[in-house]
Amino acid sequence: MIQLDTIDKTLLGLLQKDSKQTNKELSHKLNLSVTAVYERIKKLEREGVISNYVALIDKKSVDKAFVTFCSIKLSQHTKDYVVKFEKEVTKLDEVLECYHISGDYDYLLKVIVSDMDEFREFMVKKLTTISHIGSTHSAFMINEVKHTTALSI
């Protein structure tokens, strides 16, 4: 595991807020040369600390504001069932996140679609066609109280 110093942590915080900042802008904020900022970013990318750069899209502006959390229970917990479920669920575009969890259910999915009709279609024609699903439970988002992609470092 890479050791992050204070400057690395500050740099990561700045990049998480806005990764489109230029190295020149970052250098002013960090009191470093542009070259030093560039080298630090390259090191963080090489070491896997920075894994990707993305554009965050407003769900409402692309008609994908219906958020559902689906709890999935497999009918059995064999390796074959787990591997098959995980392979199949990663192919579903509507599933933005999938977590193998402990507790009453085996998986928690974050599903985003346009409305209840599209969610029903997703459940009937896609999710429940994956074999070995024993049961599902869905909870619909009423209001997004907090959403962030930034990690506190």
Side-chain angles (χ1 to χ4, degrees), residues 47-84:
E47 295 290 333
V49 176
I50 296 174
S51 61
N52 207 358
Y53 296 92
V54 300
L56 301 177
I57 298 171
D58 177 68
K59 292 184 287 297
K60 289 179 184 174
S61 64
V62 293
D63 192 28
K64 296 290 181 185
F66 193 83
V67 180
T68 308
F69 297 94
C70 296
S71 300
I72 308 291
K73 190 179 292 188
L74 298 182
S75 58
Q76 291 184 15
H77 298 98
T78 65
K79 179 181 178 183
D80 290 344
Y81 285 20
V82 167
V83 169
K84 178 159 177 37

Short mmCIF file of all heavy atoms in Angstrom, two decimals, residues 47-84:
data_model
loop_
_atom_site.label_atom_id
_atom_site.label_comp_id
_atom_site.label_asym_id
_atom_site.label_seq_id
_atom_site.Cartn_x
_atom_site.Cartn_y
_atom_site.Cartn_z
N GLU A 47 0.15 3.77 -9.25
CA GLU A 47 -0.02 2.96 -8.05
C GLU A 47 -1.46 2.48 -7.86
O GLU A 47 -1.75 1.72 -6.95
CB GLU A 47 0.42 3.74 -6.81
CG GLU A 47 1.90 4.09 -6.78
CD GLU A 47 2.79 2.87 -6.55
OE1 GLU A 47 2.31 1.90 -5.94
OE2 GLU A 47 3.94 2.90 -7.02
N GLY A 48 -2.38 2.96 -8.71
CA GLY A 48 -3.77 2.51 -8.62
C GLY A 48 -4.61 3.28 -7.61
O GLY A 48 -5.77 2.93 -7.38
N VAL A 49 -4.04 4.33 -7.01
CA VAL A 49 -4.82 5.15 -6.08
C VAL A 49 -5.91 5.88 -6.87
O VAL A 49 -7.07 5.92 -6.46
CB VAL A 49 -3.92 6.16 -5.31
CG1 VAL A 49 -4.75 7.07 -4.43
CG2 VAL A 49 -2.87 5.42 -4.50
N ILE A 50 -5.54 6.44 -8.01
CA ILE A 50 -6.52 7.02 -8.95
C ILE A 50 -6.77 5.94 -9.98
O ILE A 50 -5.87 5.55 -10.72
CB ILE A 50 -5.98 8.30 -9.62
CG1 ILE A 50 -5.74 9.39 -8.59
CG2 ILE A 50 -6.97 8.77 -10.70
CD1 ILE A 50 -5.08 10.64 -9.15
N SER A 51 -8.00 5.44 -10.01
CA SER A 51 -8.30 4.33 -10.92
C SER A 51 -9.00 4.78 -12.20
O SER A 51 -8.97 4.05 -13.19
CB SER A 51 -9.16 3.29 -10.21
OG SER A 51 -10.38 3.85 -9.80
N ASN A 52 -9.63 5.95 -12.18
CA ASN A 52 -10.43 6.35 -13.34
C ASN A 52 -10.84 7.81 -13.20
O ASN A 52 -10.88 8.36 -12.10
CB ASN A 52 -11.67 5.46 -13.43
CG ASN A 52 -12.19 5.32 -14.83
OD1 ASN A 52 -11.66 5.91 -15.76
ND2 ASN A 52 -13.24 4.53 -14.99
N TYR A 53 -11.19 8.42 -14.31
CA TYR A 53 -11.78 9.75 -14.33
C TYR A 53 -13.12 9.61 -15.05
O TYR A 53 -13.21 8.98 -16.11
CB TYR A 53 -10.90 10.74 -15.10
CG TYR A 53 -9.56 10.96 -14.45
CD1 TYR A 53 -8.46 10.19 -14.81
CD2 TYR A 53 -9.38 11.94 -13.49
CE1 TYR A 53 -7.22 10.39 -14.23
CE2 TYR A 53 -8.15 12.15 -12.89
CZ TYR A 53 -7.07 11.38 -13.27
OH TYR A 53 -5.85 11.57 -12.69
N VAL A 54 -14.18 10.20 -14.48
CA VAL A 54 -15.52 10.07 -15.06
C VAL A 54 -16.25 11.40 -15.03
O VAL A 54 -15.89 12.31 -14.29
CB VAL A 54 -16.36 9.01 -14.31
CG1 VAL A 54 -15.72 7.65 -14.35
CG2 VAL A 54 -16.61 9.43 -12.87
N ALA A 55 -17.31 11.46 -15.84
CA ALA A 55 -18.25 12.59 -15.77
C ALA A 55 -19.47 12.11 -14.99
O ALA A 55 -20.02 11.05 -15.28
CB ALA A 55 -18.66 13.02 -17.17
N LEU A 56 -19.86 12.85 -13.97
CA LEU A 56 -21.05 12.51 -13.20
C LEU A 56 -22.25 13.20 -13.86
O LEU A 56 -22.23 14.41 -14.07
CB LEU A 56 -20.90 12.97 -11.75
CG LEU A 56 -19.72 12.35 -11.01
CD1 LEU A 56 -19.60 12.92 -9.61
CD2 LEU A 56 -19.83 10.84 -10.96
N ILE A 57 -23.27 12.43 -14.16
CA ILE A 57 -24.41 12.93 -14.92
C ILE A 57 -25.62 13.07 -14.01
O ILE A 57 -25.91 12.18 -13.20
CB ILE A 57 -24.72 11.97 -16.09
CG1 ILE A 57 -23.51 11.92 -17.03
CG2 ILE A 57 -25.98 12.39 -16.84
CD1 ILE A 57 -23.60 10.86 -18.10
N ASP A 58 -26.34 14.16 -14.14
CA ASP A 58 -27.56 14.38 -13.38
C ASP A 58 -28.63 13.40 -13.87
O ASP A 58 -28.97 13.38 -15.06
CB ASP A 58 -28.04 15.83 -13.58
CG ASP A 58 -29.35 16.08 -12.88
OD1 ASP A 58 -29.37 16.07 -11.63
OD2 ASP A 58 -30.37 16.25 -13.60
N LYS A 59 -29.13 12.57 -12.96
CA LYS A 59 -30.09 11.51 -13.32
C LYS A 59 -31.36 12.08 -13.96
O LYS A 59 -31.87 11.51 -14.93
CB LYS A 59 -30.46 10.69 -12.08
CG LYS A 59 -29.33 9.86 -11.52
CD LYS A 59 -29.76 8.99 -10.36
CE LYS A 59 -30.00 9.69 -9.08
NZ LYS A 59 -28.88 10.38 -8.45
N LYS A 60 -31.86 13.17 -13.44
CA LYS A 60 -33.12 13.72 -13.95
C LYS A 60 -32.97 14.23 -15.38
O LYS A 60 -33.90 14.09 -16.18
CB LYS A 60 -33.60 14.86 -13.05
CG LYS A 60 -34.11 14.38 -11.71
CD LYS A 60 -34.56 15.52 -10.83
CE LYS A 60 -34.95 15.00 -9.46
NZ LYS A 60 -35.25 16.09 -8.54
N SER A 61 -31.82 14.79 -15.71
CA SER A 61 -31.65 15.36 -17.04
C SER A 61 -31.57 14.30 -18.13
O SER A 61 -31.74 14.61 -19.31
CB SER A 61 -30.43 16.29 -17.09
OG SER A 61 -29.26 15.55 -16.86
N VAL A 62 -31.34 13.04 -17.76
CA VAL A 62 -31.32 11.95 -18.74
C VAL A 62 -32.46 10.95 -18.48
O VAL A 62 -32.42 9.82 -18.95
CB VAL A 62 -29.95 11.23 -18.78
CG1 VAL A 62 -28.87 12.16 -19.31
CG2 VAL A 62 -29.58 10.67 -17.41
N ASP A 63 -33.46 11.39 -17.74
CA ASP A 63 -34.66 10.60 -17.44
C ASP A 63 -34.33 9.24 -16.82
O ASP A 63 -34.84 8.21 -17.23
CB ASP A 63 -35.50 10.42 -18.71
CG ASP A 63 -36.90 9.87 -18.41
OD1 ASP A 63 -37.41 10.11 -17.29
OD2 ASP A 63 -37.46 9.17 -19.27
N LYS A 64 -33.45 9.26 -15.82
CA LYS A 64 -33.09 8.04 -15.09
C LYS A 64 -33.08 8.34 -13.59
O LYS A 64 -32.09 8.11 -12.91
CB LYS A 64 -31.72 7.51 -15.53
CG LYS A 64 -31.65 7.06 -16.96
CD LYS A 64 -32.44 5.79 -17.18
CE LYS A 64 -32.33 5.34 -18.63
NZ LYS A 64 -33.15 4.19 -18.91
N ALA A 65 -34.18 8.85 -13.07
CA ALA A 65 -34.23 9.28 -11.69
C ALA A 65 -34.97 8.33 -10.76
O ALA A 65 -35.14 8.61 -9.59
CB ALA A 65 -34.84 10.69 -11.61
N PHE A 66 -35.42 7.19 -11.27
CA PHE A 66 -36.14 6.21 -10.44
C PHE A 66 -35.11 5.24 -9.89
O PHE A 66 -34.60 4.37 -10.60
CB PHE A 66 -37.21 5.49 -11.27
CG PHE A 66 -38.18 4.71 -10.44
CD1 PHE A 66 -39.27 5.33 -9.86
CD2 PHE A 66 -38.02 3.35 -10.26
CE1 PHE A 66 -40.20 4.61 -9.11
CE2 PHE A 66 -38.93 2.61 -9.51
CZ PHE A 66 -40.01 3.25 -8.93
N VAL A 67 -34.77 5.40 -8.62
CA VAL A 67 -33.70 4.62 -7.98
C VAL A 67 -34.32 3.57 -7.07
O VAL A 67 -35.18 3.88 -6.25
CB VAL A 67 -32.76 5.53 -7.17
CG1 VAL A 67 -31.65 4.71 -6.51
CG2 VAL A 67 -32.17 6.62 -8.05
N THR A 68 -33.86 2.34 -7.25
CA THR A 68 -34.37 1.22 -6.46
C THR A 68 -33.20 0.44 -5.89
O THR A 68 -32.19 0.25 -6.55
CB THR A 68 -35.21 0.27 -7.34
OG1 THR A 68 -36.20 1.03 -8.01
CG2 THR A 68 -35.87 -0.80 -6.50
N PHE A 69 -33.36 0.00 -4.65
CA PHE A 69 -32.38 -0.88 -4.02
C PHE A 69 -33.03 -2.25 -3.94
O PHE A 69 -34.06 -2.42 -3.29
CB PHE A 69 -31.98 -0.35 -2.65
CG PHE A 69 -31.31 0.99 -2.74
CD1 PHE A 69 -32.05 2.16 -2.60
CD2 PHE A 69 -29.96 1.08 -3.01
CE1 PHE A 69 -31.45 3.40 -2.71
CE2 PHE A 69 -29.35 2.31 -3.13
CZ PHE A 69 -30.09 3.47 -2.98
N CYS A 70 -32.44 -3.21 -4.62
CA CYS A 70 -32.98 -4.57 -4.67
C CYS A 70 -32.11 -5.50 -3.83
O CYS A 70 -30.91 -5.60 -4.07
CB CYS A 70 -33.00 -5.10 -6.10
SG CYS A 70 -34.07 -4.22 -7.20
N SER A 71 -32.73 -6.16 -2.88
CA SER A 71 -32.05 -7.18 -2.10
C SER A 71 -32.35 -8.52 -2.75
O SER A 71 -33.50 -8.81 -3.08
CB SER A 71 -32.55 -7.17 -0.66
OG SER A 71 -32.31 -5.90 -0.07
N ILE A 72 -31.31 -9.31 -2.94
CA ILE A 72 -31.43 -10.59 -3.63
C ILE A 72 -30.97 -11.70 -2.71
O ILE A 72 -29.91 -11.61 -2.09
CB ILE A 72 -30.55 -10.62 -4.90
CG1 ILE A 72 -30.82 -9.43 -5.80
CG2 ILE A 72 -30.68 -11.97 -5.63
CD1 ILE A 72 -32.15 -9.40 -6.46
N LYS A 73 -31.77 -12.76 -2.65
CA LYS A 73 -31.39 -13.96 -1.90
C LYS A 73 -31.27 -15.10 -2.92
O LYS A 73 -32.20 -15.33 -3.70
CB LYS A 73 -32.45 -14.29 -0.85
CG LYS A 73 -32.03 -15.38 0.12
CD LYS A 73 -33.12 -15.66 1.15
CE LYS A 73 -33.30 -14.48 2.08
NZ LYS A 73 -34.20 -14.76 3.21
N LEU A 74 -30.14 -15.76 -2.94
CA LEU A 74 -29.96 -16.90 -3.83
C LEU A 74 -30.64 -18.13 -3.23
O LEU A 74 -30.75 -18.25 -2.00
CB LEU A 74 -28.47 -17.19 -4.05
CG LEU A 74 -27.65 -16.08 -4.73
CD1 LEU A 74 -26.21 -16.54 -4.93
CD2 LEU A 74 -28.26 -15.66 -6.06
N SER A 75 -31.04 -19.05 -4.08
CA SER A 75 -31.70 -20.27 -3.60
C SER A 75 -30.70 -21.19 -2.89
O SER A 75 -31.08 -21.92 -1.98
CB SER A 75 -32.39 -21.00 -4.74
OG SER A 75 -31.45 -21.32 -5.75
N GLN A 76 -29.45 -21.15 -3.30
CA GLN A 76 -28.38 -21.89 -2.64
C GLN A 76 -27.11 -21.05 -2.69
O GLN A 76 -26.99 -20.15 -3.51
CB GLN A 76 -28.12 -23.23 -3.33
CG GLN A 76 -29.23 -24.23 -3.18
CD GLN A 76 -28.84 -25.56 -3.82
OE1 GLN A 76 -27.69 -25.81 -4.12
NE2 GLN A 76 -29.83 -26.41 -4.03
N HIS A 77 -26.16 -21.38 -1.83
CA HIS A 77 -24.94 -20.58 -1.74
C HIS A 77 -23.71 -21.32 -2.26
O HIS A 77 -22.62 -21.15 -1.77
CB HIS A 77 -24.71 -20.12 -0.30
CG HIS A 77 -25.81 -19.24 0.19
ND1 HIS A 77 -26.83 -19.73 0.97
CD2 HIS A 77 -26.08 -17.95 -0.02
CE1 HIS A 77 -27.68 -18.75 1.24
NE2 HIS A 77 -27.25 -17.65 0.65
N THR A 78 -23.91 -22.11 -3.29
CA THR A 78 -22.77 -22.83 -3.86
C THR A 78 -21.93 -21.88 -4.70
O THR A 78 -22.42 -20.84 -5.16
CB THR A 78 -23.24 -23.99 -4.76
OG1 THR A 78 -23.93 -23.44 -5.88
CG2 THR A 78 -24.14 -24.97 -4.00
N LYS A 79 -20.70 -22.26 -4.90
CA LYS A 79 -19.78 -21.43 -5.70
C LYS A 79 -20.35 -21.20 -7.10
O LYS A 79 -20.30 -20.09 -7.61
CB LYS A 79 -18.40 -22.09 -5.78
CG LYS A 79 -17.40 -21.31 -6.59
CD LYS A 79 -16.06 -22.01 -6.66
CE LYS A 79 -15.11 -21.22 -7.54
NZ LYS A 79 -13.83 -21.90 -7.70
N ASP A 80 -20.90 -22.25 -7.71
CA ASP A 80 -21.45 -22.12 -9.06
C ASP A 80 -22.58 -21.11 -9.12
O ASP A 80 -22.65 -20.31 -10.05
CB ASP A 80 -21.95 -23.48 -9.56
CG ASP A 80 -20.82 -24.46 -9.86
OD1 ASP A 80 -19.66 -24.01 -9.97
OD2 ASP A 80 -21.10 -25.66 -9.95
N TYR A 81 -23.47 -21.13 -8.14
CA TYR A 81 -24.60 -20.19 -8.11
C TYR A 81 -24.11 -18.75 -7.94
O TYR A 81 -24.57 -17.83 -8.60
CB TYR A 81 -25.56 -20.53 -6.98
CG TYR A 81 -26.45 -21.73 -7.22
CD1 TYR A 81 -26.13 -22.70 -8.16
CD2 TYR A 81 -27.61 -21.90 -6.50
CE1 TYR A 81 -26.95 -23.80 -8.37
CE2 TYR A 81 -28.45 -23.00 -6.71
CZ TYR A 81 -28.09 -23.95 -7.64
OH TYR A 81 -28.91 -25.03 -7.85
N VAL A 82 -23.16 -18.56 -7.04
CA VAL A 82 -22.61 -17.22 -6.79
C VAL A 82 -21.91 -16.69 -8.03
O VAL A 82 -22.16 -15.56 -8.46
CB VAL A 82 -21.63 -17.26 -5.58
CG1 VAL A 82 -20.82 -15.98 -5.49
CG2 VAL A 82 -22.41 -17.50 -4.28
N VAL A 83 -21.05 -17.49 -8.63
CA VAL A 83 -20.31 -17.06 -9.82
C VAL A 83 -21.26 -16.74 -10.96
O VAL A 83 -21.12 -15.72 -11.64
CB VAL A 83 -19.27 -18.14 -10.23
CG1 VAL A 83 -18.68 -17.85 -11.60
CG2 VAL A 83 -18.17 -18.24 -9.18
N LYS A 84 -22.26 -17.61 -11.18
CA LYS A 84 -23.20 -17.38 -12.27
C LYS A 84 -24.01 -16.11 -12.03
O LYS A 84 -24.17 -15.30 -12.95
CB LYS A 84 -24.15 -18.57 -12.43
CG LYS A 84 -25.18 -18.35 -13.53
CD LYS A 84 -25.77 -19.63 -14.04
CE LYS A 84 -26.85 -19.46 -15.07
NZ LYS A 84 -26.72 -18.41 -16.03
#
